[in-house]
Amino acid sequence: MVDVADKLAYFQAITGLEDLDLCTEILQAHGWDLELAIAAFTGGNESAGAASVSTGTAALTATDTGTAPAESSNSAPPEVLERSDSAVGPVAAAGPGLAWKLVTLPISVISGGLGLVSGAVGLGLWVAGGILSYSLGMVGIGPSAGRNGGESSSRLVSVSASAREAMDFVAAFEREYGSRGPSFVTEGFMDALQRSRNSFKLLFVYLHSPDHSDSPGFCERTLCSEVLSEFINQNFVAWGGSIRASEGFKMSNSLKASRYPFCAVVMPATNQRIALLQQIEGPKSPEEMLTLLQRVLEESAPVLTAARIEAEERISNTRLREEQDAAYRAALEADQARERQRKEEEERVEREAAEAERKRKEEEEARERAAQEAAEREAARARMREEKTLALGAEPEKGADVTQVLVRFPTGERRDRRFRSSTTIQSLYDYVDSLGCLQVEDYSLVSNFPRTVYGEEKRSLTFKEAGLHPQASLFVELN
């Protein structure tokens, strides 16, 4: 028995569908019966498509050929539809494939007459259709030629398949009917639904059946009515899709469209579901459409207002929390800054106190060292004076060989002493040093008339040799 993957690959090769989820849903709807699914897809087995629809609505093929039930515009109660991977609601029947969308050739007619075609023939037709569509697009006559003002075959920005289908629908609609219609969004259904949720508006859905005889007139006279299109643009988010495209076909099954033109008004519900507020089937005049849309808008106004108020309260609460958080962070940062400043001030005071203490200790130690050094110097001078005094010996008595010397100090003090004439001038220096009248050690003994300096070179001379005998008067000159 062929497994699921092989069936999916075979079904994609025959139908040309690229959406794996859509192929899976179609096969599941037909109990994984490959022949039945292919027959329903090609349009030859109308009863197979009708059997897969949970309600008693007519099949899509019957609707396209005009065998639709009576016109219906009654307002249905909100119906909750589940969302699939790429659209909303279950897929009830298979839709037209890629070959039908790219090149309009009677392949479906041929396949409908033959029933179930072989895999090789189907694959060859799909490849031939793709090549022909690409060739037509290159020469500018295919469905993709001139799209969006000459769009390149390879898009610069990658978009999803549903968004590409929406862009193709909008381009085709404006090319056929101009830009007077509603401003359909160029994004997938779920993105459009989210857009309506964010803008607190209802979602206006238009499913386009290109082959239905009422579609051109409805688009041209109703949808392109200035009053209606302006009303839709102001009060709704508009989304449109062709039932030939994957998502448009899925939405036709999800919304159980039984007659075309088909319009609906939906709004997002909870748990990834949507609520069907209004279903409009069959051709309608602008006035009838306007009346129905105004009524559903009035009925939904309390819900939208409540949602807007709730969202505004939520935003206000969020903003309030953000402001409170910001104020708390600011207060916390201010407290932290004050704490840092306090610590820095304490550290600065401690540093200054430590520096002052260090300087005080250094000064105290310096004073102690200075005092100690002064004491040591004074002790050394005292010892020196004592030693020199002892070295001088007793002052001799007056006599012929005794020299009388008078020494005048810079302070005006005078001292005199007797020395033996054979004593050297160095002894006179020792005598001056022993007195302790000078705080310096570098000085000279000088006589006035004539001026004679008795420096280092003359200290070895005796008083008699130096001409200072029998008496002399010298003064101390600081160097």
Side-chain angles (χ1 to χ4, degrees):
M1 181 178 180
V2 181
D3 59 10
V4 172
D6 291 339
K7 284 186 177 181
L8 281 172
Y10 189 83
F11 185 82
Q12 283 185 302
I14 293 296
T15 61
L17 285 177
E18 296 178 347
D19 194 337
L20 185 61
D21 296 332
L22 179 58
C23 295
T24 303
E25 291 173 353
I26 294 175
L27 286 170
Q28 287 178 346
H30 294 85
W32 292 95
D33 188 333
L34 192 59
E35 295 181 359
L36 184 60
I38 294 175
F41 176 83
T42 56
N45 192 352
E46 181 176 332
S47 61
S52 64
V53 181
S54 58
T55 62
T57 58
L60 179 62
T61 54
T63 303
D64 290 340
T65 55
T67 59
E71 180 179 303
S72 171
S73 63
N74 59 309
S75 177
E79 180 180 358
V80 179
L81 303 174
E82 293 188 6
R83 173 193 174 190
S84 64
D85 290 340
S86 60
V88 178
V91 175
L98 184 63
W100 186 16
K101 183 177 68 173
L102 294 180
V103 55
T104 308
L105 293 176
I107 297 175
S108 60
V109 177
I110 298 173
S111 60
L114 296 177
L116 178 64
V117 295
S118 64
V121 174
L123 179 60
L125 290 174
W126 175 74
V127 173
I131 294 174
L132 180 57
S133 175
Y134 178 77
S135 302
L136 293 175
M138 291 297 292
V139 298
I141 60 174
S144 61
R147 185 181 305 157
N148 293 337
E151 181 183 14
S152 173
S153 59
S154 59
R155 297 180 182 270
L156 296 178
V157 180
S158 177
V159 295
S160 63
S162 57
R164 186 176 294 110
E165 291 178 1
M167 294 169 65
D168 293 342
F169 167 76
V170 172
F173 188 91
E174 293 181 352
R175 186 170 55 249
E176 184 70 23
Y177 305 106
S179 58
R180 296 178 294 109
S183 300
F184 294 107
V185 295
T186 55
E187 55 193 13
F189 177 81
M190 292 308 298
D191 292 332
L193 192 68
Q194 185 61 36
R195 180 187 292 269
S196 69
R197 179 196 297 270
N198 296 337
S199 58
F200 306 103
K201 292 183 178 181
L202 302 178
L203 181 62
F204 175 81
V205 179
Y206 170 64
L207 298 179
H208 183 69
S209 176
D211 297 328
H212 200 283
S213 58
D214 293 330
S215 295
F218 178 77
C219 292
E220 185 174 356
R221 290 187 295 272
T222 301
L223 284 184
C224 291
S225 168
E226 182 178 355
V227 176
L228 180 62
S229 61
E230 183 178 356
F231 180 79
I232 293 175
N233 292 336
Q234 289 180 354
N235 299 282
F236 297 87
V237 173
W239 180 86
S242 173
I243 63 172
R244 286 185 177 181
S246 173
E247 192 166 37
F249 178 74
K250 286 184 178 183
M251 291 307 304
S252 69
N253 285 284
S254 299
L255 298 175
K256 297 179 175 59
S258 59
R259 186 179 179 185
Y260 294 92
F262 179 88
C263 299
V265 178
V266 301
M267 68 179 300
T270 57
N271 299 327
Q272 299 295 328
R273 296 170 180 265
I274 62 172
L276 177 60
L277 305 179
Q278 181 69 51
Q279 184 170 332
I280 306 172
E281 296 180 296
K284 293 288 184 293
S285 65
E287 292 76 14
E288 291 174 320
M289 288 288 295
L290 196 60
T291 300
L292 294 172
L293 294 179
Q294 285 176 338
R295 186 178 66 205
V296 71
L297 193 62
E298 292 173 357
E299 294 173 353
S300 305
V303 178
L304 296 177
T305 303
R308 181 181 290 104
I309 293 175
E310 181 181 357
E312 291 175 354
E313 290 179 352
R314 184 166 57 251
I315 294 174
S316 177
N317 293 334
T318 302
R319 185 182 298 110
L320 179 60
R321 284 195 300 270
E322 291 176 351
E323 292 175 353
Q324 292 174 345
D325 293 342
Y328 172 76
R329 287 194 299 270
L332 181 61
E333 291 175 357
D335 293 341
Q336 293 174 347
R338 285 192 294 269
E339 182 66 18
R340 285 195 302 270
Q341 186 176 2
R342 185 186 64 80
K343 289 183 178 180
E344 291 174 356
E345 183 65 20
E346 290 180 353
E347 292 174 355
R348 185 187 63 80
V349 172
E350 291 177 357
R351 286 195 304 271
E352 291 179 353
E355 182 67 16
E357 180 67 16
R358 183 185 63 80
K359 289 182 178 180
R360 186 190 65 79
K361 288 183 178 181
E362 289 179 353
E363 292 174 356
E364 184 177 354
E365 292 174 356
R367 286 194 300 269
E368 291 177 355
R369 285 195 303 272
Q372 184 178 358
E373 292 173 356
E376 291 176 353
R377 286 193 301 271
E378 183 62 27
R381 283 196 296 269
R383 286 193 301 271
M384 179 194 65
R385 288 195 299 270
E386 184 178 357
E387 291 173 355
K388 290 185 177 183
T389 301
L390 292 175
L392 288 173
E395 183 178 5
E397 296 294 334
K398 294 180 180 180
D401 60 345
V402 174
T403 302
Q404 183 75 32
V405 179
L406 175 66
V407 179
R408 296 193 302 271
F409 292 91
T411 59
E413 185 178 358
R414 297 183 178 191
R415 295 292 180 95
D416 58 350
R417 191 182 191 283
R418 294 183 296 273
F419 296 89
R420 295 190 183 278
S421 60
S422 60
T423 304
T424 62
I425 295 177
Q426 178 62 48
S427 298
L428 182 59
Y429 275 93
D430 292 341
Y431 169 70
V432 174
D433 291 338
S434 66
L435 295 176
C437 297
L438 297 176
Q439 299 298 324
V440 296
E441 298 178 357
D442 188 10
Y443 63 93
S444 299
L445 295 174
V446 182
S447 64
N448 279 331
F449 302 105
R451 175 179 172 80
T452 303
V453 178
Y454 299 94
E456 291 289 339
E457 70 280 0
K458 295 182 179 183
R459 289 189 181 191
S460 60
L461 297 177
T462 64
F463 286 102
K464 183 178 287 188
E465 293 172 346
L468 298 177
H469 183 73
Q471 64 180 7
S473 177
L474 303 174
F475 66 90
V476 176
E477 184 178 81
L478 301 179
N479 296 331

